[in-house]
Amino acid sequence: MSEHRRKPPQPQGGGRAAARRGASGAPSGRRAAPRGATGSPSDSYDAPRSSGSYGNEAEDRPWGGRAEARRAAQRSGGSRRKAPEGGAGRGGAGGGGRRGGGGPGGPGGPNGPGRGRGRGAGRPQKKGFIDYPRANKDGWQRWMPSWRLVTGLCVGFLGSLMAAAGIAYALVDTPTVADTAKAQNNVYYWADGTQMVATGGETNRQIINYEDIPKSMRYAVMSAENKTFETDKGVDPMGIARAVFNMAKGGETQGGSTITQQYVKNAMLNDQSQTVSRKLKELFVSIKVGRTVNKDTIMAGYLNTAYYGRGAYGIQAAARTYFNENAADLNASQTAFLASVLKGATYYDPAGSPEIDPVNATRQKNTKRAEERWRWILGEEVKDGHLSAQKRSEFIDKGFPKLQGPRSNAQLGGQVGYLVDLAKAYVINNSNGKITANALQQGGYEIHTTFKKNKVKQLEDAVKKVRKESIKPDQREEDKHVQFGGASVNPKDGAIEAIYGGTDATKHYTNNADVTGAQVGSTFKPFVLAAAFKYGVLDPDQGQDQPDSARTIVSPKSLYSGKNKLKIQNYDGSVWKDKEGKEWLQTNDGGASYNRPSYQIDLREAMRESVNSAYVQLGMDVGLDKVKESALSAGLLENSFASANYPSFSLGTSDPSAIRMAGAYGTFAASGQQNDPYSVKSVDHEGDTIYRHAVKPERAFQPNVADNVTDVLKTVVDKGTGTAARLPGRDVAGKTGTTDGNKSAWFVGYTKQLSTAITMYRMDDNENSKNRKFLEMYGTGGQKKIHGASFPAQIWHAYMAKAMAGEPNESFPTPEPIGKIVGETASPTPTPSITAPPSTSAPASPTPSKSSADPSPSPSETCSDWDWACKNEDGGTTDGTTDGGTDGGVTPSPSATESDGNGTRGNGNGGGLFGGTG
């Protein structure tokens, strides 16, 4: 067949024109190079051949067309090259990769060797301005930037940063002391929208000259915060690194920021946002101040603008607030203390801030922190050569500086100061970081509270009436240091409508409506009953971890022993013993036993008469973990609980606040719907509402459980220990509570519309004392012993009668029957007979012997077995400053004449936590 009759395959990269030239036998001698001579990658695969092939290798499958050949050539990335010797002819296309060399051109025509057209062969590629990806490199090296490129980028980046920093440095201004710390007032409103008080931004600040600032103050802050102040340039990278290192190893730290940075931060109080731009601005201002302002001006500016707590801005205001002296007259001990509170007044002001942080900012913990830092600063001054060791020893021997009380603003007198503190703390703790303590210090907020002015006054008047009529400290020693506290909460949404925090917020600084440490006594028993209704008692034939289905829900008609000195048993019938092998004998108030000879009493009557033995054993049968869970569900806080390892847990060894007790009883009033108490409805700032309380009720108990508890507590008020709280024509439920040792007494009660808790206790009111303890109330108010049924119930009644005046009577729901009767099958006794102990006359004060009025022993070697002021995880007591101890004790088994001899359930010796008896 003629050569002209067949169409040869187009060579790779050559296109149709090259194929035609190679096939035509033109005089130039140009023809397609055979695939085997090109070095093309096409050689590597076996192209299919047509059935009409003559066996020529050049007949391998051609490219699909001109466009595809062009694209293939572009992909190959090869470059044209000239043949070694010129000629008229052109060779075929060389193959090859994009970077690799192609094959040589095909042989030339008759006139010469021809010019090759191989792509990528031989000549290196031309580099661009930015050689990336890198030319003339293969594989991973092609993507590895050269050192020139890296260096250029780094230089360019650093140059850009320097240029930006230079511009920023030029644009920022240095602050002026007179323009800093300009706080505005916060305006607090009553629930009805009328103004309560405008406070928080009052001008408690006076700028003084550098010369009037004592050297000891300057030295104290340098030793504590910035040792390199006199030599640094406004920022101290080494100081920041040192602070991080010391913090990591748990030691006392200097601040990471310099005094210059702190001054700038104070000067930028109008912008306290935690943004990167704000921090960068602060950094540039600090650098500029460090380079352009002399150190004396910086130091004076810092000390004149810093916040020292208690509303005091600047050293002069702080000197007046804490010591009632001029700043120039302060000694090194006093200035060391002021340098301590600069670290954060919330945690270093010895007065404490329990309303902000009830766990870590208590008066005791703050005092300990402040003293430790005060000592440390004095030591650092000695190390830095600012104070002699002898002078430091003199200050240490004299003791911690004596401070004034924390409130002096007359606007905050009476109950207003307590209300403001409660609202401030609520905003800080519940605004999700939108409103910080620092922001509130600057003011400008409108805070709309839940407090009802008329109810606050009515509660205060009720307390004043009892004080005036019965508490006479000038006539009786036992009437000194008496304290009352109270709170009133709306059960429907948790709004705190009234509190009584103390006689005067500018004179008595602890808010008695909040955490005080006073144990709640028998007012805790309703949570035991609620646990029995909700979870049931354990099956004595199964293990502790038995399923809920094995439990038995109890009825209020269930029978328990009302015997005095009942030997308490575990749920399985074994005798309970502590770690030392001692048994627990539970006493009743006054040593009374009920319903001889059987001693059986149903749970309704046991609540009505506040029988300890019955409810201690019920708590053991339900499980103290379930009792605790019940109280938590009702609204008490975890940090208020004593240890649940002792049977006395059911008798109220815990110390929740009056606010929380009112809220928890409100859960029963709301048929088991729990709402956390709250004091702020909304907060506005510059016309915008930035916080609004959202009511989020939770189901703590099923309605039948809560309503049955209410029905039992209604019996207490109708004909039990709480009759002093009855409100004619209105449903009232409540419970009395008195702790052994007679160191606190309570009444907590509620209607459908309002739940109120009243507490009474005696405590040394010296706010600066480190060893404040609860005092006994035997003889207080002219009474042999204070019960919840006495002054607390009287105050509750006087207040609630006015607070509920004009309100409709909302009856409690009639509960459906609940549970099964457990215990003996004898009929419940409607009115229990009470057998008094051999001697019913109570002494004016309890005997101090170990066997009669001592707390549960501690398993810890660090606590004395009978130390009132010692709190441990098993004994359930706390230090005497904030918590009362458990006076009910673990005692030896009674004699045969005192016991029925068969492990009958009962309580300890003459101790025990008593229920009120009216």
Side-chain angles (χ1 to χ4, degrees):
M1 184 179 291
S2 168
E3 183 73 8
H4 298 282
R5 295 288 303 272
R6 66 184 180 88
K7 186 174 183 179
Q10 296 181 8
Q12 182 178 353
R16 290 183 178 179
R20 282 196 300 270
R21 288 193 295 269
S24 63
S28 62
R30 289 181 292 187
R31 65 188 180 91
R35 187 179 297 275
T38 64
S40 168
S42 300
D43 298 341
S44 63
Y45 72 91
D46 186 13
R49 302 182 180 184
S50 65
S51 59
S53 169
Y54 292 96
N56 192 331
E57 290 294 332
E59 289 185 11
D60 287 352
R61 184 172 59 184
W63 294 105
R66 184 179 300 175
E68 185 173 344
R70 193 160 51 245
R71 286 193 296 269
Q74 291 170 352
R75 284 194 300 268
S76 69
S79 59
R80 299 177 63 180
R81 66 180 180 86
K82 190 174 182 179
E85 296 182 12
R90 293 176 61 90
R98 186 175 179 184
R99 295 297 179 191
N111 296 326
R115 257 184 335 193
R117 197 180 170 193
R119 290 188 177 271
R123 191 175 71 183
Q125 284 188 327
K126 181 179 180 181
K127 298 179 181 178
F129 179 75
I130 298 177
D131 184 22
Y132 193 82
R134 299 176 67 183
N136 304 315
K137 297 292 183 181
D138 291 319
W140 64 268
Q141 291 180 330
R142 184 167 176 256
W143 303 100
M144 179 65 67
S146 67
W147 67 268
R148 293 183 181 87
L149 180 60
V150 173
T151 303
L153 289 175
C154 290
V155 170
F157 179 71
L158 293 175
S160 299
L161 283 181
M162 292 177 65
I167 294 171
Y169 180 85
L171 291 177
V172 297
D173 296 322
T174 58
T176 302
V177 175
D179 294 333
T180 62
K182 288 186 176 178
Q184 304 176 59
N185 278 329
N186 291 318
V187 182
Y188 294 82
Y189 296 92
W190 295 103
D192 62 3
T194 59
Q195 182 173 315
M196 179 196 305
V197 66
T199 185
E202 59 274 4
T203 309
N204 187 13
R205 175 173 162 272
Q206 179 183 347
I207 296 174
I208 60 176
N209 296 325
Y210 179 80
E211 295 76 16
D212 295 325
I213 299 174
K215 288 184 179 180
S216 62
M217 186 66 194
R218 306 199 296 265
Y219 292 149
V221 295
M222 282 192 286
S223 292
E225 299 294 340
N226 187 190
K227 292 179 182 290
T228 63
F229 169 71
E230 294 178 328
T231 58
D232 64 40
K233 299 299 182 182
V235 293
D236 181 16
M238 291 301 295
I240 296 173
R242 183 171 56 251
V244 172
F245 175 76
N246 287 338
M247 187 183 300
K249 70 177 185 179
E252 189 69 61
T253 65
Q254 284 185 309
S257 299
T258 64
I259 288 174
T260 304
Q261 287 175 281
Q262 290 296 320
Y263 165 53
V264 170
K265 182 178 180 180
N266 294 340
M268 297 172 65
L269 283 171
N270 60 328
D271 180 12
Q272 288 294 309
S273 59
Q274 299 300 312
T275 60
V276 174
S277 60
R278 190 257 182 193
K279 292 293 184 183
L280 288 175
K281 181 179 179 181
E282 183 181 304
L283 177 65
F284 287 123
V285 174
S286 298
I287 295 172
K288 192 165 190 175
V289 169
R291 292 181 175 276
T292 60
V293 181
N294 66 63
K295 294 293 184 179
D296 292 355
T297 303
I298 294 172
M299 177 62 78
Y302 171 57
L303 296 178
N304 275 319
T305 59
Y307 182 67
Y308 295 79
R310 302 189 184 183
Y313 288 91
I315 178 66
Q316 177 64 16
R320 284 291 182 185
T321 298
Y322 286 100
F323 304 110
N324 196 28
E325 296 182 20
N326 289 320
D329 299 328
L330 299 178
N331 61 39
S333 176
Q334 293 169 320
T335 55
F337 164 74
L338 292 181
S340 299
V341 295
L342 285 175
K343 189 173 178 68
T346 297
Y347 296 101
Y348 286 87
D349 179 357
S353 301
E355 66 279 358
I356 294 177
D357 188 343
V359 176
N360 297 311
T362 63
R363 188 185 62 82
Q364 293 74 30
K365 290 183 179 180
N366 277 22
T367 298
K368 183 174 183 292
R369 278 191 212 100
E371 289 191 11
E372 289 176 350
R373 189 159 179 84
W374 168 74
R375 289 172 179 268
W376 177 78
I377 290 175
L378 290 175
E380 291 299 301
E381 289 188 74
V382 173
K383 292 179 183 178
D384 297 338
H386 299 319
L387 183 71
S388 68
Q390 179 183 354
K391 201 68 176 174
R392 176 186 181 276
S393 298
E394 291 177 5
F395 289 135
I396 296 298
D397 292 340
K398 289 180 181 178
F400 193 66
K402 186 176 181 180
L403 310 177
Q404 291 196 117
R407 296 189 187 93
S408 59
N409 185 350
Q411 295 184 84
L412 300 178
Q415 300 305 304
V416 172
Y418 303 122
L419 298 172
V420 167
D421 284 351
L422 196 62
K424 283 170 56 179
Y426 185 84
V427 169
I428 292 169
N429 292 327
N430 293 276
S431 62
N432 297 321
K434 294 179 181 178
I435 308 171
T436 64
N438 285 337
L440 274 181
Q441 288 162 11
Q442 291 312 298
Y445 293 90
E446 295 182 354
I447 300 170
H448 299 268
T449 74
T450 60
F451 306 128
K452 295 189 174 181
K453 186 176 183 179
N454 60 329
K455 285 188 171 66
V456 171
K457 186 177 186 304
Q458 289 162 354
L459 182 53
E460 184 178 29
D461 288 345
V463 176
K464 285 182 176 179
K465 183 175 184 291
V466 167
R467 276 194 176 277
K468 182 178 180 180
E469 294 177 353
S470 304
I471 309 300
K472 304 183 183 300
D474 54 337
Q475 298 179 17
R476 286 185 293 265
E477 184 68 24
E478 296 83 3
D479 287 7
K480 293 180 178 179
H481 312 304
V482 173
Q483 296 294 329
F484 293 96
S488 208
V489 174
N490 189 324
K492 292 180 173 63
D493 63 358
I496 304 171
E497 297 190 352
I499 66 167
Y500 179 83
T503 53
D504 190 322
T506 63
K507 299 175 182 177
H508 173 77
Y509 311 119
T510 301
N511 185 352
N512 296 346
D514 209 340
V515 179
T516 64
Q519 295 179 347
V520 296
S522 290
T523 56
F524 198 79
K525 288 175 182 173
F527 305 121
V528 183
L529 186 63
F533 289 164
K534 180 178 181 178
Y535 303 107
V537 295
L538 293 160
D539 183 346
D541 296 327
Q542 297 194 35
Q544 183 74 41
D545 297 329
Q546 58 190 258
D548 291 344
S549 59
R551 292 173 171 266
T552 301
I553 303 299
V554 304
S555 163
K557 296 181 180 180
S558 295
L559 300 174
Y560 274 80
S561 175
K563 184 180 184 299
N564 186 49
K565 293 188 177 181
L566 181 69
K567 186 180 296 184
I568 298 302
Q569 299 177 1
N570 294 307
Y571 79 96
D572 59 2
S574 62
V575 176
W576 185 93
K577 295 180 180 180
D578 70 356
K579 293 182 179 180
E580 296 179 358
K582 295 180 181 179
E583 299 173 350
W584 188 282
L585 304 177
Q586 184 60 55
T587 60
N588 294 321
D589 185 27
S593 289
Y594 295 80
N595 299 339
R596 284 180 182 270
S598 69
Y599 298 111
Q600 292 174 358
I601 187 171
D602 71 29
L603 294 178
R604 180 185 298 275
E605 299 304 325
M607 183 72 77
R608 191 188 84 178
E609 300 300 324
S610 201
V611 181
N612 293 338
S613 56
Y615 274 90
V616 168
Q617 188 58 59
L618 177 63
M620 299 300 290
D621 291 350
V622 173
L624 296 181
D625 58 331
K626 295 299 185 183
V627 173
K628 180 178 179 180
E629 190 172 331
S630 171
L632 277 170
S633 298
L636 300 190
L637 299 179
E638 175 73 37
N639 58 30
S640 68
F641 289 116
S643 170
N645 293 331
Y646 274 73
S648 59
F649 179 74
S650 294
L651 296 181
T653 55
S654 302
D655 55 11
S657 68
I659 293 172
R660 283 287 167 176
M661 285 298 288
Y665 271 50
T667 300
F668 299 132
S671 295
Q673 201 79 337
Q674 191 268 332
N675 290 284
D676 271 346
Y678 72 102
S679 58
V680 175
K681 295 187 291 185
S682 63
V683 180
D684 299 333
H685 187 255
E686 296 180 348
D688 295 326
T689 299
I690 58 176
Y691 170 77
R692 187 178 299 279
H693 175 78
V695 177
K696 298 178 180 178
E698 294 185 3
R699 174 60 63 186
F701 307 105
Q702 290 302 314
N704 201 34
V705 170
D707 293 343
N708 269 282
V709 172
T710 293
D711 192 56
V712 172
L713 294 182
K714 188 172 181 291
T715 307
V716 175
V717 176
D718 288 344
K719 52 183 178 178
T721 61
T723 54
R726 283 185 294 189
L727 298 174
R730 192 176 298 275
D731 276 3
V732 176
K735 183 69 186 79
T736 56
T738 308
T739 58
D740 191 27
N742 209 207
K743 293 175 180 176
S744 62
W746 291 72
F747 184 80
V748 187
Y750 55 92
T751 65
K752 282 288 289 182
Q753 300 102 314
L754 199 62
S755 177
T756 300
I758 303 295
T759 179
M760 176 183 179
Y761 56 91
R762 285 183 70 214
M763 178 183 280
D764 180 5
D765 201 31
N766 180 1
E767 300 284 346
N768 293 316
S769 172
K770 292 189 295 183
N771 299 310
R772 298 173 68 204
K773 292 185 178 181
F774 287 92
L775 306 174
E776 295 170 346
M777 292 190 292
Y778 294 108
T780 297
Q783 299 191 9
K784 182 181 296 185
K785 180 180 180 180
I786 299 298
H787 291 92
S790 58
F791 298 133
Q794 292 173 28
I795 292 171
W796 190 96
H797 176 271
Y799 161 67
M800 289 290 285
K802 292 184 177 180
M804 298 304 298
E807 297 289 334
N809 176 30
E810 295 186 21
S811 300
F812 294 128
T814 301
E816 296 293 329
I818 191 171
K820 297 180 180 179
I821 298 175
V822 301
E824 299 296 331
T825 58
S827 300
T829 306
T831 304
S833 60
I834 302 174
T835 303
S839 175
T840 58
S841 58
S845 61
T847 174
S849 66
K850 176 181 289 191
S851 64
S852 63
D854 292 314
S856 303
S858 167
S860 170
E861 293 298 324
T862 62
C863 292
S864 169
D865 281 355
W866 311 102
D867 187 358
W868 169 267
C870 183
K871 180 163 187 173
N872 55 74
E873 76 175 9
D874 285 327
T877 63
T878 62
D879 69 69
T881 308
T882 57
D883 293 306
T886 304
D887 283 344
V890 178
T891 60
S893 301
S895 65
T897 59
E898 297 173 323
S899 171
D900 58 11
N902 59 3
T904 303
R905 296 171 173 181
N907 186 354
N909 67 4
L913 287 178
F914 304 138
T917 59

